[in-house]
Amino acid sequence: MRFSAAIIRLTGLFLVISMLFSCYNEDLPPSQEGSLWEIIEVDPEFSLLRTAVIRAGLDSALRAVGPITLFAPDNAAMQQTLQELGVPSINMVPVDFLQAVLLYHLIPGRNLRAQLNTGSRETLLPGFTLNIRVEGSAVILNGEYQVTSTNIDARNGVMHVIDRMMIPPTNTLLDVAQDNGYTAFIAAVVAAGLEDQLVQGGPFTVMVPTNTAINAYLAANNITIEEFLSSPQLQSIIGYHVIPGLLQSSAFQRGQRNTLTDTPLYFSQAPNGNFFLNGTSRIVRTNLTADNGIIHEIDQVITRPLQNIAEVLDSSATAANPEFTLLRRAILHAGLLEAFQGRFEDNLTVFAPTDEAFEALLEELNLSTVEDIPLETLTSVLLYHVIDERIFTPDLREASNILTLLEGESVLVNLAENRINGALLIPNKRNILAQNGVIHGIDQVLIPE
């Protein structure tokens, strides 16, 4: 935690404190209880908070104004935060910093537990918000601070107890991104209108592509940086790189994580231990820590899937350079189209023979079209190409047998030669992500024994 930076950035607040509190002196709740100040003044569990409030010069404000809601750290919470800041006592915390921290624990209005809903709330610290998440009976602030006791009534508001003192984010995700030279990503965040969220919100885990990765994405899509930054899809592209919550590298594991776009991205781990996103983007640097989250560096821009497997095959078959046209026809003829039309709740892997692979099979069978293949045989062959699991190439393991949808039949992984059974996994046709699974192009039709 960059204590000195926080002091520098949060100075001068005392001049605006009286202005802030004067805005909240109407509609006080009818109560015979003591003020917020009187509650913490007499309770020994809040003696450190009481000392902090006096040092910050906020005791008269907590006595006189409202309605306001105070998230109050008890003595144990205060002690833990002091240890994290590296100071032995409240009296050694600079006053300006202490004022900012305490204002960050106050939100306008008398918000009882029932009014604490998931979302962002403005605090009395100008420009800073608290993120509230409600999970059953639990109330969590900024993804990590637990509300341990609620609805302590006061004449001028209400108090809820929290398990740690909250520090306003001062070394933000964008600060860390700037410090590490991710200038193209920062420009995209700003253009997408996500700057405030990554500065004031969180905590977030951000998978940040390098400048080189973004330049490669521009080249692959034949667009300029200006076109990229003005794209109507930019917010969803950047949002797909942001995972709510804190995810340290020690917690990486195979599986999916939801993003700001409410679309999952998928973690895979290669045999050498490297982690990949969506099978293609390697995580090359980890655990760059900000006050409101964490950054991991990746070597490719990741894009969220917009089509299911059936739609991906349709698009490919009708593209300028069509592919998978015969596979698409085979699926239609076998009446299996519906099986490939799911969304994110489904997880399939399709080893997809190219048109050339199907043409070779037809020639070997002395047939003209895939429709000439006996229907029962065609159905079995197609099911033999599908796995009931989303498997990216980094997930594959040498000599493993993977069960297919054809009952009792499996395919063999040959990583040394990059093959499934005898079919080559085509390098530029692997890890094609769809909403309901992933497609890998192969150069032969797999035939069950």
Side-chain angles (χ1 to χ4, degrees), residues 250-297:
S250 59
F252 289 171
Q253 60 182 352
R254 182 186 174 200
Q256 70 182 57
R257 290 275 182 168
N258 212 18
T259 67
L260 282 188
T261 63
D262 203 28
T263 305
L265 59 80
Y266 299 88
F267 283 74
S268 298
Q269 186 174 23
N272 64 2
N274 287 333
F275 278 91
F276 288 79
L277 301 178
N278 295 351
T280 58
S281 182
R282 185 166 62 95
I283 302 174
V284 296
R285 192 178 177 199
T286 61
N287 299 336
L288 304 175
T289 304
D291 286 349
N292 64 328
I294 192 167
I295 286 174
H296 306 295
E297 180 185 303

Side-chain angles (χ1 to χ4, degrees), residues 12-21 103 124 126:
L13 284 167
F14 187 75
L15 296 176
V16 300
I17 289 173
S18 59
M19 295 173 59
L20 283 170
F21 278 110
L103 289 175
L124 296 193

Side-chain angles (χ1 to χ4, degrees), residues 285-353:
R285 192 178 177 199
T286 61
N287 299 336
L288 304 175
T289 304
D291 286 349
N292 64 328
I294 192 167
I295 286 174
H296 306 295
E297 180 185 303
I298 57 177
D299 67 356
Q300 289 187 41
V301 174
I302 48 176
T303 55
R304 63 193 184 111
L306 301 176
Q307 298 177 313
N308 60 35
I309 291 170
E311 292 164 339
V312 170
L313 295 178
D314 283 346
S315 297
S316 180
T318 56
N321 296 305
E323 189 58 274
F324 304 128
T325 59
L326 295 180
L327 173 61
R328 176 171 170 262
R329 280 170 52 186
I331 289 172
L332 288 170
H333 183 61
L336 295 175
L337 183 63
E338 186 178 354
F340 299 98
Q341 291 180 323
R343 297 297 173 183
F344 291 107
E345 66 275 7
D346 295 327
N347 290 285
L348 300 175
T349 299
V350 178
F351 295 111

Side-chain angles (χ1 to χ4, degrees), residues 203-265:
F204 297 119
T205 298
V206 187
M207 318 307 292
V208 177
T210 62
N211 293 344
T212 300
I214 291 179
N215 288 334
Y217 174 84
L218 300 179
N221 289 276
N222 196 28
I223 57 175
T224 65
I225 184 64
E226 291 77 18
E227 290 170 328
F228 177 60
L229 295 179
S230 62
S231 167
Q233 286 78 45
L234 182 63
Q235 188 173 97
S236 63
I237 292 171
I238 300 304
Y240 191 53
H241 291 73
V242 181
I243 301 169
L246 292 174
L247 182 63
Q248 298 274 355
S249 63
S250 59
F252 289 171
Q253 60 182 352
R254 182 186 174 200
Q256 70 182 57
R257 290 275 182 168
N258 212 18
T259 67
L260 282 188
T261 63
D262 203 28
T263 305
L265 59 80

Side-chain angles (χ1 to χ4, degrees), residues 166-208:
M166 301 182 292
I167 304 299
T170 55
N171 180 35
T172 71
L173 285 161
L174 288 195
D175 292 327
V176 174
Q178 182 69 47
D179 291 345
N180 286 276
Y182 303 127
T183 54
F185 183 78
I186 293 172
V189 167
V190 173
L194 294 174
E195 180 179 10
D196 286 349
Q197 198 161 3
L198 294 189
V199 169
Q200 299 179 25
F204 297 119
T205 298
V206 187
M207 318 307 292
V208 177

